[in-house]
Amino acid sequence: VTRALLIALWATAPLAAQAGDPRLSRLDPAVRPAVVALVDSARAAGLPVEPLVQRALEGTSKGASPDRILAAVRRLTRDLGAARAALGAATAPEIDAGAAALHSGARPADLAALRARRPRQSLVVPLGVLADLVATGVPPDTAAAAVLALAATTPDAEYLVFRRNVERDIALGAPPAAAAAVRSTGATADMTPRP
Amino acid sequence: VSDSLDAPVARALAELRRPLRLDAALDARIMAAVAAEPVPRARPDRARALWVWLARPRTLRLSPLAGLAAAAGVAVLAWWHPWTPPVGDTPAPAQVQFVFVDAGAATVAVVGDFNDWDPGASPLSRAQPGSLWVVTIPLVPGRHRYAFVVDGRRWMPDPGAPRAVGDDFDTPSSVVTVGGDS
């Protein structure tokens, strides 16, 4: 009897797991089980799963093929794992932002260095600015150096001002690497206490 | 001690030294009397009684058919039970205004990972008169991907915001970063 009960529970377990997040019912049936399995694996590994669900929903709303949705979710899972490993103890938004930074071209060592320089502050904005800078054309090494140079003293709001300034300079014709380097130097000087 | 007292004392001593013969049924009568007395009971502790009842092992007898029915019931409950996202120490949201400019659009909506990419969730309102479309949405600190959907079919990134890295679906998205500290 016990064996029959266990077999029945085992047989119905996939149904229960698939029912974990009703939002995933919007996915194409061809890709839904694989995405659910990835989400479950990520949850078991202690990774934030909301970014995975949202990436799958994004692909579905945009009409992407099941293969592309699955590839995107799979790649994001890898990036989240790498970001968590590089950051150590981190919040879900930090891991999500770290995954974006890694995908943009930042190195895991950059994330670890950022954590070392801001051990008690949120890294969401610095990591987001790092990814944004690379997206605007700043080379990953230059972007990482700029963000790290500001890490010790710069509050979130100043990071966002720094990013806007770099974007404005690029829009006005400045080379992205030069814009980031110059604005980083200026921002660092602004934040240095004067006697 | 005088000789006149020796005799009574000797008799008393002899009487005291005489073995006492007890009734053979005395023990049985005493035990019967004790058993007949009401036993004082402590006040019932309901919590302890409940715990004992809960913790006592039991053997359930269940037919295979009943086992299958129970498993099916669990599956149905899991399927229909309203699911809610896990709630942690959610930081306070910030009010973020989304602006889009399109004079010819009939409808504009913002979709993103803050509304499950649902085109019907967050429509923008036209700022009368003109081409400006606006909506304000509370966003928790973090990095949010989003895009605009114009007239229900045309996907547009926000020209005033950074592009999201990793355009996995050939339809670019934008990013807004909401800070969590000063």
Side-chain angles (χ1 to χ4, degrees), chain B residues 57-77:
Chain B
R58 288 176 173 79
T59 301
L60 291 178
R61 296 173 63 82
L62 200 64
S63 71
L65 184 62
L68 285 172
V74 170
V76 168
L77 281 177

Side-chain angles (χ1 to χ4, degrees), chain B residues 147-165:
Chain B
F148 294 110
V149 180
V150 181
D151 295 337
R153 63 188 193 294
R154 188 158 49 98
W155 288 71
M156 300 286 294
D158 187 344
R163 291 286 180 89
V165 293

